Amino acid sequence: MLFHDTVEVHRAPLAPTAYTTHRDWQQSAMVWSGRASVQPDRAFEVRSPARETAQERLLIYLPLEADVDSADRITWRGQNYEVDGEPARWVQGSLRHTQIRAWRVVR
């Protein structure tokens, strides 16, 4: 089985503010849940006297029919990740899938 990790895709509605709109993650809803293949991509660390942070990045392969967008969040192993860029849909060949990059900041 190629897809052996369980992930969830969450989507939040746009909420207006005085000057613009933003995603209201307090009102988010799960739009898709299922099996995926989650692979490590890379990690970055930024160290300064004020703060230490690390950025974790993943490559996630979802079934082609998975409902995912560039503004969504992915939950994997209890951690939330931001989708980075547009999902890439591979419709050629025998392994049809959707590839996304996801990231999160660890403080």
Side-chain angles (χ1 to χ4, degrees):
M1 177 189 271
L2 295 175
F3 297 134
H4 50 79
D5 300 301
T6 301
V7 300
E8 296 175 352
V9 177
H10 296 267
R11 188 166 295 152
L14 287 172
T17 62
Y19 300 104
T20 186
T21 59
H22 70 280
R23 298 278 171 188
D24 183 3
W25 288 104
Q26 299 298 321
Q27 304 296 322
S28 69
M30 183 175 59
V31 295
W32 187 84
S33 177
R35 299 286 190 176
S37 177
V38 180
Q39 307 293 322
D41 190 7
R42 48 188 158 156
F44 300 96
E45 290 186 19
V46 177
R47 295 177 188 240
S48 72
R51 144 180 45 183
E52 290 187 24
T53 62
Q55 186 180 117
E56 179 184 5
R57 300 181 68 80
L58 301 172
L59 282 174
I60 302 175
Y61 300 92
L62 301 166
L64 188 61
E65 66 274 4
D67 184 13
V68 63
D69 190 63
S70 63
D72 293 341
R73 287 185 178 171
I74 304 292
T75 301
W76 176 62
R77 292 186 176 173
Q79 300 291 327
N80 291 321
Y81 295 82
E82 303 278 336
V83 173
D84 186 17
E86 288 294 323
R89 307 222 186 258
W90 297 90
V91 296
Q92 304 298 322
S94 62
L95 294 176
R96 299 168 189 245
H97 64 278
T98 300
Q99 175 188 331
I100 61 170
R101 292 185 184 275
W103 66 277
R104 74 182 181 107
V105 173
V106 181
R107 292 176 176 50

